[in-house]
Amino acid sequence: MDPQQTYSPNTKTILGLQLPTDPRWVNLAEISLQDILTDHAYCEQKAAISCISLIQRYSDKERIVNELSPIVTEEWGHFRLVLEELQKRNLSLGKQRKDEYVNALLAFTKKGGSEEDRLLDQLLLMAMIEARSCERFKRLSEGLKDEYLRNFYRRFMESEAGHYTLFIELSETYVDKTKVRKRWKAWLQYEADVMKNMEVRGDRIH
Ligand SMILES: [Fe+2]
Ligand SMILES: [Fe+2]
């Protein structure tokens, strides 16, 4: 069976994403494996760094500190797993690229406003990146020809789905649920526009 036929249509219902990934992306990613692994490695590294920053910034918020501490370890573990895959293939890590996707999302975060608004956007930014990463890993886990790599990416998909949920839950711990939902809807819409305007490239996760 063509692996492409196994795509599940549930991306939208699970993650709320408004725009599914262009199906051509998996085929492009497949032929740029070194680039995709390198980019993936840096994504994991940045996820770990972002969690550390949140802990530093919101050290007075016990749940953020307690819940994100193990995520730092987990994301760093992900980085090491991807690094191992590169090394197994005699490939080197390579340079970090400019992250257009994350930079575009960063532009949507509130810089002014109340402390609560800023916290909410910090957490929803993380939820957004986890949700899209999860969807991308799902695409790879369903669309790649290599069975080993399909399984490799399935593990990441499951893990990032859990992180997405955690960031939404953390938002609801500190901010009124109705407000979280309203702002999350705005994030989903904004992210869909960002995705729509981005070139489909196989050398990057987003
Ligand atoms: Fe991760
Ligand atoms: Fe994650």
Side-chain angles (χ1 to χ4, degrees), residues 61-64 116 119 123 170-176:
K61 296 194 164 38
E62 206 179 342
R63 196 163 172 216
I64 287 186
E116 185 187 85
L119 167 66
L123 294 173
L170 283 175
S171 307
E172 292 177 341
T173 304
Y174 298 104
V175 182
D176 172 69

Side-chain angles (χ1 to χ4, degrees), residues 44 75 78 160 163:
E44 299 294 356
E75 301 290 20
H78 288 169
E160 311 311 355
H163 296 168

Side-chain angles (χ1 to χ4, degrees), residues 44 47 71 74-75 78 130 133 156 159-161 163-164 167:
E44 299 294 356
I71 306 295
E74 202 184 321
E75 301 290 20
H78 288 169
E130 295 286 1
S133 305
F156 289 99
S159 173
E160 311 311 355
H163 296 168
Y164 151 76
F167 282 109

Side-chain angles (χ1 to χ4, degrees), residues 11 81 95 98 156 165 189:
T11 300
L81 281 173
K95 281 222 184 312
K98 201 170 129 230
F156 289 99
T165 314
Q189 196 49 60

Side-chain angles (χ1 to χ4, degrees), residues 49-77:
I49 295 168
S50 301
C51 287
I52 293 174
S53 299
L54 284 169
I55 291 168
Q56 290 176 336
R57 189 158 169 195
Y58 299 106
S59 55
D60 57 329
K61 296 194 164 38
E62 206 179 342
R63 196 163 172 216
I64 287 186
V65 175
N66 292 343
E67 303 269 0
L68 293 188
S69 298
I71 306 295
V72 173
T73 315
E74 202 184 321
E75 301 290 20
W76 194 254

Side-chain angles (χ1 to χ4, degrees), residues 63-190:
R63 196 163 172 216
I64 287 186
V65 175
N66 292 343
E67 303 269 0
L68 293 188
S69 298
I71 306 295
V72 173
T73 315
E74 202 184 321
E75 301 290 20
W76 194 254
H78 288 169
F79 168 71
R80 294 183 62 189
L81 281 173
V82 182
L83 188 60
E84 212 177 275
E85 285 305 312
L86 277 162
Q87 287 166 348
K88 252 166 54 182
R89 293 170 167 76
N90 287 320
L91 300 170
S92 62
L93 176 60
K95 281 222 184 312
Q96 189 175 181
R97 68 173 173 90
K98 201 170 129 230
D99 197 330
E100 288 164 53
Y101 173 74
V102 172
N103 286 342
L105 293 186
L106 272 169
F108 193 62
T109 55
K110 286 190 181 143
K111 310 290 184 301
S114 67
E115 169 73 13
E116 185 187 85
D117 285 351
R118 276 177 285 149
L119 167 66
L120 179 58
D121 269 1
Q122 293 299 307
L123 294 173
L124 293 186
L125 165 71
M126 295 296 285
M128 194 72 256
I129 300 169
E130 295 286 1
R132 179 59 74 184
S133 305
C134 174
E135 192 243 7
R136 290 279 160 119
F137 293 143
K138 184 172 164 60
R139 296 287 173 183
L140 294 171
S141 76
E142 292 174 346
L144 291 176
K145 290 185 191 79
D146 183 306
E147 193 190 348
Y148 171 84
L149 284 172
R150 283 205 305 275
N151 289 328
F152 178 73
Y153 280 111
R154 186 161 305 113
R155 288 162 63 197
F156 289 99
M157 174 196 87
E158 286 160 5
S159 173
E160 311 311 355
H163 296 168
Y164 151 76
T165 314
L166 173 64
F167 282 109
I168 297 286
E169 282 170 7
L170 283 175
S171 307
E172 292 177 341
T173 304
Y174 298 104
V175 182
D176 172 69
K177 277 189 187 177
T178 317
K179 189 173 174 178
V180 172
R181 226 163 296 152
K182 196 170 161 229
R183 185 66 181 153
W184 180 237
K185 250 183 108 177
W187 266 101
L188 289 169
Q189 196 49 60
Y190 177 80

